[in-house]
Amino acid sequence: MTTANDYSEGNGAEPALKYAVQRACGGRAELVEGVIDCGSHGWDHEHTRSVLRTRLSEAVDRLRCVAGSGDLDFPGSLNWFVPDLAVVPKALAKGGGALLPDQVLLVVEVTSESNAETDRVVKRKRYAEYGAPLYLLVDRLERSVTLFAEPGSLGYTKADGPHPFGTSVRLPEPFGIDLDTSGL
């Protein structure tokens, strides 16, 4: 399986920019369509991430994965994302650097006022283009959850939602669970 580049070596604008982004803002910076975003999130945002991580934990353990917010690289583009939550096989997470979107099982973005359109449009498009199999958009502003599946170069071909908070959303195999969205 291919992994993302180690940008501490290499020549050219893309490796240099991605190397710089990895070191910006305490290591939590993103590069979104060529713009560095050092956004921080409030406690309500962190609460949502915590609830989701807890509700996914049984499936994550069963699948021998980890859930976290590590770096995702998009080679050939000016994008480097740090998702709010991603489910990644332990074998790839242990000792690994940045991963590619097609190496994760699920990526989750939780909107904030400052990034809602980026999560709804740009990230959805890029995650699909780079093969993330499932993208869960938790839209705190709209108080809804949408699951996108079947990625392709033109976007996701399947959308389940938006569902209002409080609705159970079915995460397909390999998860095979109904995700409770109450209290988000």
Side-chain angles (χ1 to χ4, degrees), residues 2-5 7 22 70-73 80 92 96-100 103:
T2 310
T3 59
N5 292 328
Y7 288 108
Q22 291 175 49
D71 297 330
L72 294 179
D73 188 18
W80 180 277
L92 294 176
L99 297 177
L100 304 173
Q103 294 176 301

Side-chain angles (χ1 to χ4, degrees), residues 49 52-53 56 67-69 82-87 106-109:
R49 286 175 17 140
L52 290 168
R53 187 183 296 226
L56 289 169
S69 60
V82 182
D84 289 311
L85 191 63
V87 176
L106 169 70
V107 63
V108 179
E109 294 288 358

Side-chain angles (χ1 to χ4, degrees), residues 60-67 87-96 99 103 105:
V60 168
D61 290 344
R62 176 176 39 85
L63 294 169
R64 295 185 181 100
C65 289
V66 296
V87 176
V88 178
K90 283 182 182 178
L92 294 176
K94 187 166 177 66
L99 297 177
Q103 294 176 301
L105 301 182

